[in-house]
Amino acid sequence: MAYAIVTAFVLLGAINSQNNLLFWALGLAIGGLLASGFVSGMSLMGIALEREPVPEATSHRPFVLRYRVRNRSRFMPAYALLIEELPPKGTSRDDWALVGRPMASLGRLSPRRTVRCETSGLVEQRGPFELGRVRVSTTFPFGVARKSVTFDLLQPALATPRVHRLRSDVVETILEPTHDGTEAIASPGAGEEFYGVREYRTGDRVRDVSWRLSARSDTLVVTQRSARSPRRLVLHLELDPAVAAEHDARVEQLLSLAASLIAEAGRRAIAVSLAAPESGITTGSMTTPVGRAGLLRTLGAYGFAESTTPQGRPPEARFGAVVLTLTGRANAAGVRTFTGEDLARLRAEPERAGAGMEG
Amino acid sequence: MTLQGSLRLALIWTSLLAIVIYAIAAESLAVAALGVPSAWLCWWAAHQAWAASVPRLLVNAVLLVAVGLGLGLASLDGQFNVERIAEMLAALLVIKLFDRRTARDAAEVLALSVFLVFGAILTSLKLSVGVLVLMFCPLLVWAALVQQVVATEERAEAYMERIGAVRRRVRSGNAMSRGLRRMTGGLTIAASLIATAVFVLVPRGLTPSFLGEFGAERGSVTGFTDQVQLGRAGLISESQEKVLDLRVTDADGGNLGGAGRVYYLRGAVLDAYEDGNWTRQRRRSEAFQPRETDQNLRLVLSLNTPRAVIVQDIALRQPPSRGSMMFAVQQPFQWEFGEPLEFTLDRRGGTLRLDDNAKTQSYRVYSGLPGTLGPPRDWRTAANPGRLPSFPSEYVREETVKLLEAQGINADRVRRSPTEINAVTRAIKDHLLTFDYTLDILRAQGDPIEWFLSEDGRQGHCEYFAAAMTAMCRSVGVNARVVTGYVAVEYNDASTQYTVRESNAHAWVEVEHAPGQWRTHDPTPPADFDRVHAPDTSLASMARRWFDALEFFWVDSVVSFDRGSQRRVLGGEEDDAEPQIAALNSIAGFLNRVRQSGWVGAAQAVLAGVMAFVGVLIIMFVAQSFFRRLGIGGVRGPRVRILGGTRDVGEYLLRVLDKAGHPKPGWKPLLAHVRDVPDAGVFSDVVARLYAARFGGRPLSAAEAQELRRTVTEAGQNLGSRTPAATGDG
């Protein structure tokens, strides 16, 4: 618009003053206008774009969006490309999960080249969401008009609950290993506890030979030691669907606390298992990052995915489990109970908008 | 360098150049002396750490104060004054250079620079301004391109910042810099071509001054005056300031100019004398007629076309204002202008005085050679035989009579034949040649002409000589008049035109030899005339003449381009109102002919268009291949100079790898890339040799190049057989 106004002024000035250099300047302005339309149009004609699958999205934490942009043109490079995420067709901006419109820029794309570029997106709500269209636009060369081409790249994604860094002193007490007698020494290993004895086999270390027993039994016997028992965190979610429906914010807080504990357990190499009996969720003990990411996804999809509600009374929390409940009352003994409100007490940092934490 | 760094550089260069252009246009040393260092200082300060802490509100307040002051000063003049506005723009530009934090600020700086250049254009159209504006254009384009890229990056960064994500700024690679430079060149050329087309095609002379005058004040033509006041400076000027350029041709366009050939450009004709002043006699009002150009922008004074014509193309250095005299060689019978204008015609003197403020600065005059404009009239059949010219000084008459009688010429105030008039004028001229020429301003006691002719005088400049000769002729009944104007003596071989300067202002005499037939006489001693007016022949002056030729080209083809020039360029018919309309008519005629010729004609036209398009595509393809061969565009990997003219091994290697499914990423060095493909050893050896050729100063021979190609081919075949699918791109 500004360009058009300036051009109109130059036209008026040139006609009024009959100044030939102004006529030439007018020509330059018109030339710029035409060249701008031509260049921006031509540079976008050969653009193709693909969005790479979104790896992870955590609520309130920027996640990476990667694109492969190809310039199919044989001659024309593309400059100053702005790549924007738009809501899927039929979805209004207000209903879209993403904050704003994620944007990436690409300074230059040579002819017949493919490059990768990335930006970050942010969702502020846990749960599934959709990435919709991607618009590639440019105002190059003179910013006269924005030309764009839009790609319809519908892609479902899932945002896991918000993860907070928790106070280390509190976390240490929560994550302390619990001994309820049920943790039997299960297998021999390289720990320090005595496990048993057996006959010597080829390959056993000489230092493990129990000479006294061997002398008594007239057979070479070695001492076995127990395997080290991993530290373990059992998260027990007690989310009565009837109560949960009325306490949406508290449910989110509770899920966020669960996700934060999973993240803290991951930092300390503690195995985590999750149980939400009301939703039919019971997982094994996860020791790897992939396993923990699965737990977070389970939390992310909580309430959105189809769940199998068990018949009858749901099982009680195990002894030593961390029970996260809306009511603050656990239906089992020997457990530590937290509610969503406890998150504020446990959190290490004050609330900060838009700041994501490492999980 | 990062793109932001490039933009910073672009901004300061653009701003400095804009300020310099305006300073030159306005001839304002103050603007240059204050503006350039201030701009640089503000630019430097803007990227100091402390500058970020200066509140934006404060800067905006300073900007507002500058705008208020500028508008206030401009309003004091009572009219829209470009110079005041431009000075305000320069001040805003300097302040904005300090306040440039985002790409949007950069765009504002660029816009202010552009407006300042517009101010310069409105102030002056001199060649130096034009050249600097031409230099400014690519710089501006480059700055705009960089600004656009940075603005896009900043938008993405702003979003990242909003959501708390971190994004690192990347350095602009060589490809980006090279690409932007090429784009700058291409866009500048394309826009310039379009600009030239617009410049030529946009109709001139449509509703000029409908918004009033807001350009720089018009300069009057200096050095020349339309009256002679003896004893004052008058026409004496030693200024080398150029007044106009003159090209003289015959009716067929043959050049009539040349070194040593002098043309007298008449400005004013003066025939009334009183108290030392020669002015135009205004008693006979019918002698002055208001005239205006016709629809062909012509002013025709005589329908008789002379047998020999002198065509004068005159380009004034400044647009003429109301009251300016239009210069021409004697006996002009037709004038052509670039716009509709009104004049006052002095019928007897044959001079034109402008009654408008003209926009265009060039015109063409057709003059007839003396004696060729109409049949000669008998001197005995004068219209008013009873009235003979006289001069109101007895002393002058006595001196003239004494002179003529000494040479045996009848000194009575009688009607004379042309032959007798010749004798009288020759005698008077010869007498005056014995006088001394001086440029000193001499103040005489009493009448200046009497003093000049007396024994005490006998010295003066051209006005004295012309005035004295006119007075002497008239005192013995010979009709004469003083003419002031310029003499065109400085011929430029390079441009085949005369350059006329202020110092070429001159006064001479016209004597009526037969009724209505006036001849030019210059009583100034020729040696002194040459001394005063002859062009300098030093080496420096030769260089200056080349510059003058360039300046003439600028003035003739750009500054003074008008409707007349448009007609000449576009070749429109004389009676057409506008050449563009003629062009549209011709297109319409073509379409009509196609329609009338039926579908066969239409098909032929389409086929011709398609063939032309295909032809252009082929030319583009060949040109691209040629440039690629030269390594100017689209070459990946090292360029190899190969003796023997064989193909580029490096490119061949890249193509083989590409086909085999191992395209080289742009970021990866060639050697690192080939180490990652199977048969790395063979390819590594080839690349090592190529590197040695490219960087080690050991060029490949033709045989070596062939050998390397063969090696690459074999290795490529092995690679291809191992690679199941060749996919992907660079």
Side-chain angles (χ1 to χ4, degrees):
Chain A
M1 180 57 76
Y3 191 94
I5 292 171
V6 171
T7 306
F9 269 115
V10 175
L11 174 67
L12 286 178
I15 290 174
N16 190 65
S17 65
Q18 295 289 304
N19 183 316
N20 277 323
L21 266 189
L22 273 190
F23 276 113
W24 196 74
L26 170 71
L28 267 188
I30 294 173
L33 200 68
L34 296 177
S36 183
F38 177 78
V39 169
S40 54
M42 283 289 287
S43 62
L44 284 181
M45 275 174 68
I47 295 295
L49 180 137
E50 292 171 17
R51 189 199 297 115
E52 294 186 357
V54 178
E56 285 295 333
T58 303
S59 168
H60 288 87
R61 175 187 165 197
F63 63 96
V64 178
L65 287 162
R66 288 199 178 88
Y67 307 94
R68 278 169 61 86
V69 192
R70 178 168 171 74
N71 186 1
R72 293 173 301 196
S73 168
R74 285 176 62 83
F75 308 104
M76 194 75 188
Y79 289 91
L81 297 178
L82 187 70
I83 300 164
E84 286 173 280
E85 286 284 349
L86 300 177
K89 274 182 186 169
T91 304
S92 68
R93 285 282 306 280
D94 296 335
D95 296 338
W96 200 30
L98 266 72
V99 175
R101 286 198 306 249
M103 293 179 197
S105 68
L106 202 55
R108 181 178 195 268
L109 183 54
S110 304
R112 290 184 292 172
R113 288 291 172 104
T114 303
V115 296
R116 293 176 74 188
C117 65
E118 64 179 44
T119 182
S120 297
L122 182 72
V123 286
E124 291 185 329
Q125 285 181 337
R126 171 192 67 86
F129 64 94
E130 279 185 332
L131 294 169
R133 295 164 297 158
V134 179
R135 180 169 67 192
V136 182
S137 63
T138 183
T139 55
F140 193 83
F142 298 127
V144 179
R146 178 168 293 278
K147 291 207 172 181
S148 65
V149 55
T150 304
F151 300 91
D152 212 352
L153 302 172
L154 195 66
Q155 185 178 338
L158 178 70
T160 59
R162 186 175 186 178
V163 173
H164 296 274
R165 184 179 282 275
L166 303 179
R167 283 168 50 195
S168 58
D169 54 334
V170 181
V171 170
E172 283 302 326
T173 57
I174 296 173
L175 300 182
E176 251 178 24
T178 53
H179 299 286
D180 60 350
T182 59
E183 287 188 56
I185 297 165
S187 59
E192 292 175 355
E193 296 293 321
F194 177 77
Y195 178 74
V197 293
R198 63 168 169 78
E199 275 190 16
Y200 177 84
R201 293 178 202 152
T202 308
D204 284 341
R205 293 183 303 182
V206 177
R207 60 184 289 193
D208 291 336
V209 174
S210 172
W211 297 110
R212 187 175 292 174
L213 282 176
S214 298
R216 272 192 215 151
S217 61
D218 206 17
T219 312
L220 267 179
V221 174
V222 292
T223 307
Q224 284 185 295
R225 300 188 186 281
S226 64
R228 283 195 186 97
S229 176
R231 298 170 72 190
R232 189 175 300 170
L233 170 67
V234 179
L235 285 175
H236 192 92
L237 280 171
E238 286 186 358
L239 291 170
D240 182 356
V243 183
E246 296 172 6
H247 300 88
D248 203 19
R250 284 168 58 194
V251 171
E252 293 303 321
Q253 279 181 327
L254 211 58
L255 292 174
S256 180
L257 179 56
S260 304
L261 283 171
I262 291 171
E264 292 290 349
R267 273 194 211 100
R268 290 166 172 78
I270 296 173
V272 191
S273 63
L274 178 69
E278 286 86 354
S279 303
I281 297 170
T282 307
T283 71
S285 198
M286 302 297 172
T287 54
T288 62
V290 175
R292 283 191 294 272
L295 293 182
L296 291 173
R297 278 198 296 275
T298 303
L299 292 177
Y302 184 85
F304 294 98
E306 288 285 327
S307 59
T308 53
T309 309
Q311 297 295 317
R313 183 182 167 79
E316 290 183 353
R318 287 170 57 181
F319 183 85
V322 175
V323 176
L324 305 173
T325 172
L326 288 171
T327 58
R329 295 187 303 275
N331 59 357
V335 297
R336 284 155 292 180
T337 307
F338 295 95
T339 63
E341 284 83 357
D342 291 326
L343 183 60
R345 179 171 58 84
L346 297 175
R347 219 170 39 216
E349 85 289 355
E351 185 88 25
R352 186 154 57 90
M357 297 305 302
E358 183 62 33
Chain B
M1 182 183 285
T2 61
L3 275 171
Q4 283 72 15
S6 299
L7 182 59
R8 278 201 293 271
L9 271 184
L11 286 185
I12 186 60
W13 282 116
T14 314
S15 307
L16 289 180
L17 191 54
I19 292 172
V20 167
I21 291 172
Y22 176 70
I24 288 175
E27 296 175 358
S28 170
L29 189 62
V31 170
L34 281 174
V36 171
S38 311
W40 187 86
L41 201 64
C42 286
W43 173 81
W44 172 81
H47 52 272
Q48 302 303 308
W50 54 267
S53 60
V54 177
R56 191 136 206 189
L57 192 66
L58 179 68
V59 181
N60 287 340
V62 174
L63 279 171
L64 272 177
V65 168
V67 170
L69 271 177
L71 292 178
L73 286 173
S75 66
L76 285 180
D77 296 336
Q79 62 175 3
F80 189 83
N81 189 319
V82 170
E83 292 192 10
R84 295 279 170 274
I85 299 294
E87 282 162 9
M88 179 189 76
L89 287 173
L92 294 182
L93 179 59
V94 169
I95 298 167
K96 274 307 285 184
L97 275 173
F98 178 74
D99 181 40
R100 46 173 184 77
R101 305 181 190 193
T102 62
R104 181 181 284 267
D105 294 322
E108 288 168 5
V109 169
L110 291 180
L112 283 170
S113 304
V114 170
F115 283 127
L116 190 56
V117 171
F118 284 159
I121 290 173
L122 284 171
T123 305
S124 171
L125 290 177
K126 60 177 89 166
L127 175 63
S128 49
V129 173
V131 169
L132 287 174
V133 168
L134 287 179
M135 288 167 62
F136 179 79
C137 287
L139 191 59
L140 177 70
V141 170
W142 178 56
L145 300 191
V146 177
Q147 190 271 342
Q148 284 298 308
V149 178
V150 172
T152 307
E153 285 200 343
E154 279 188 1
R155 275 193 74 177
E157 278 174 11
Y159 177 79
M160 302 282 265
E161 196 173 326
R162 181 183 157 200
I163 65 169
V166 180
R167 188 168 192 265
R168 67 188 175 86
R169 285 192 168 176
V170 291
R171 294 174 71 83
S172 65
N174 285 337
M176 171 70 94
S177 307
R178 203 167 47 235
L180 284 179
R181 281 201 299 272
R182 285 179 188 165
M183 190 63 87
T184 300
L187 283 172
T188 306
I189 291 169
S192 299
L193 289 176
I194 296 171
T196 306
V198 170
F199 174 81
V200 172
L201 292 173
V202 169
R204 301 299 203 281
L206 297 179
T207 62
S209 300
F210 69 103
L211 293 175
E213 297 285 342
F214 53 83
E217 280 185 22
R218 291 166 180 279
S220 57
V221 177
T222 50
F224 160 81
T225 60
D226 60 356
Q227 62 175 338
V228 167
Q229 295 175 304
L230 297 172
R232 298 189 186 173
L235 298 171
I236 298 176
S237 170
E238 294 184 80
S239 167
Q240 293 301 304
E241 189 74 24
K242 297 179 199 74
V243 176
L244 58 89
D245 297 285
L246 167 72
R247 176 173 285 150
V248 191
T249 54
D250 59 21
D252 300 324
N255 184 24
L256 293 179
R261 216 174 282 175
V262 179
Y263 287 93
Y264 286 80
L265 294 171
R266 304 160 81 244
V269 172
L270 314 172
D271 56 1
Y273 181 76
E274 191 175 358
D275 296 335
N277 294 338
W278 281 99
T279 54
R280 184 68 180 127
Q281 193 177 56
R282 295 189 177 271
R283 282 178 305 206
R284 291 191 302 175
S285 60
E286 71 275 11
F288 296 92
Q289 287 184 342
R291 299 287 288 269
E292 58 185 64
T293 49
D294 60 18
Q295 60 171 1
N296 291 321
L297 307 178
R298 287 177 182 163
L299 191 63
V300 181
L301 305 184
S302 169
L303 295 176
N304 296 326
T305 305
R307 293 187 299 278
V309 174
I310 302 175
V311 182
Q312 306 133 68
D313 288 304
I314 293 176
L316 297 168
R317 290 304 172 99
Q318 294 196 24
S321 55
R322 183 189 297 274
S324 295
M325 303 301 295
M326 310 309 288
F327 300 99
V329 173
Q330 198 189 5
Q331 292 209 50
F333 63 92
Q334 182 175 308
W335 304 69
E336 289 178 3
F337 297 92
E339 59 182 321
L341 291 170
E342 293 181 355
F343 301 93
T344 297
L345 170 68
D346 177 356
R347 290 179 64 196
R348 282 176 56 78
T351 57
L352 274 185
R353 194 185 66 219
L354 185 63
D355 287 341
D356 271 333
N357 278 331
K359 302 290 182 190
T360 56
Q361 295 173 227
S362 66
Y363 55 92
R364 174 176 278 187
V365 193
Y366 296 83
S367 298
L369 283 179
T372 62
L373 194 63
R377 287 163 60 192
D378 190 347
W379 62 278
R380 286 175 291 262
T381 60
N384 194 355
R387 290 189 61 184
L388 283 175
S390 61
F391 188 76
S393 166
E394 199 53 39
Y395 177 78
V396 172
R397 175 163 168 73
E398 284 172 8
E399 286 292 311
T400 312
V401 168
K402 222 185 315 178
L403 172 69
L404 295 182
E405 284 179 347
Q407 297 196 18
I409 300 171
N410 179 15
D412 294 339
R413 287 185 65 241
V414 293
R415 186 161 303 282
R416 299 168 194 271
S417 69
T419 314
E420 290 169 331
I421 292 175
N422 258 340
V424 170
T425 53
R426 192 178 303 118
I428 294 172
K429 257 175 85 174
D430 289 346
H431 174 64
L432 291 177
L433 287 179
T434 62
F435 286 35
D436 293 330
Y437 184 92
T438 177
L439 287 172
D440 295 339
I441 299 167
L442 306 166
R443 296 189 185 281
Q445 298 290 329
D447 184 79
I449 296 179
E450 290 179 3
W451 171 82
F452 179 69
L453 292 174
S454 69
E455 288 298 325
D456 296 339
R458 301 179 72 85
Q459 58 176 330
H461 50 78
C462 59
E463 287 180 347
Y464 281 95
F465 283 90
M469 182 172 172
T470 306
M472 291 173 83
C473 285
R474 293 171 73 93
S475 69
V476 292
V478 174
N479 200 4
R481 57 197 184 189
V482 174
V483 181
T484 58
Y486 289 97
V487 282
V489 292
E490 189 179 334
Y491 184 72
N492 193 330
D493 287 318
S495 60
T496 65
Q497 46 84 29
Y498 289 91
T499 301
V500 177
R501 304 173 189 276
E502 284 185 28
S503 59
N504 294 130
H506 191 50
W508 61 93
V509 180
E510 283 179 1
V511 177
E512 192 175 26
H513 284 252
Q517 291 193 352
W518 296 82
R519 285 192 188 167
T520 299
H521 293 272
D522 192 349
T524 303
D528 295 308
F529 177 91
D530 288 345
R531 181 169 55 81
V532 174
H533 294 293
D536 190 3
T537 54
S538 64
L539 263 178
S541 73
M542 286 172 67
R544 195 181 65 187
R545 247 172 249 152
W546 278 103
F547 177 76
D548 288 343
L550 194 64
E551 200 169 23
F552 172 73
F553 172 77
W554 170 254
V555 171
D556 188 45
S557 56
V558 178
V559 176
S560 59
F561 192 86
D562 52 25
R563 274 167 75 175
S565 315
Q566 261 185 332
R567 283 209 176 117
R568 285 194 286 277
V569 171
L570 299 174
E573 293 298 321
E574 288 187 349
D575 292 335
D576 288 337
E578 292 298 334
Q580 294 88 331
I581 295 172
L584 289 175
N585 283 337
S586 65
I587 292 171
F590 170 75
L591 293 175
N592 268 335
R593 282 197 299 278
V594 169
R595 196 177 58 185
Q596 285 162 7
S597 59
W599 66 271
V600 176
Q604 282 176 343
V606 170
L607 192 64
V610 169
M611 284 177 68
F613 181 68
V614 170
V616 169
L617 283 184
I618 290 171
I619 290 169
M620 282 174 64
F621 180 76
V622 170
Q624 194 225 7
S625 305
F626 176 70
F627 285 125
R628 281 175 69 89
R629 186 72 61 84
L630 290 179
I632 292 176
V635 177
R636 290 177 293 176
R639 288 203 294 269
V640 184
R641 184 184 298 278
I642 302 170
L643 300 177
T646 52
R647 296 180 68 183
D648 189 324
V649 181
E651 282 193 339
Y652 181 67
L653 170 61
L654 289 174
R655 280 201 298 279
V656 168
L657 289 173
D658 207 0
K659 275 188 183 171
H662 300 282
K664 187 180 90 63
W667 52 268
K668 205 170 181 182
L670 183 61
L671 191 57
H673 178 61
V674 297
R675 278 176 182 157
D676 291 343
V677 301
D679 279 344
V682 178
F683 288 120
S684 298
D685 291 345
V686 172
V687 174
R689 182 66 191 95
L690 289 178
Y691 276 21
R694 176 71 181 85
F695 306 111
R698 292 194 289 127
L700 295 174
S701 66
E704 277 181 303
Q706 287 295 335
E707 182 59 31
L708 287 179
R709 271 175 63 84
R710 201 162 25 251
T711 307
V712 169
T713 307
E714 288 168 4
Q717 284 166 353
N718 294 335
L719 198 60
S721 62
R722 264 184 251 169
T723 309
T727 56
D729 51 70

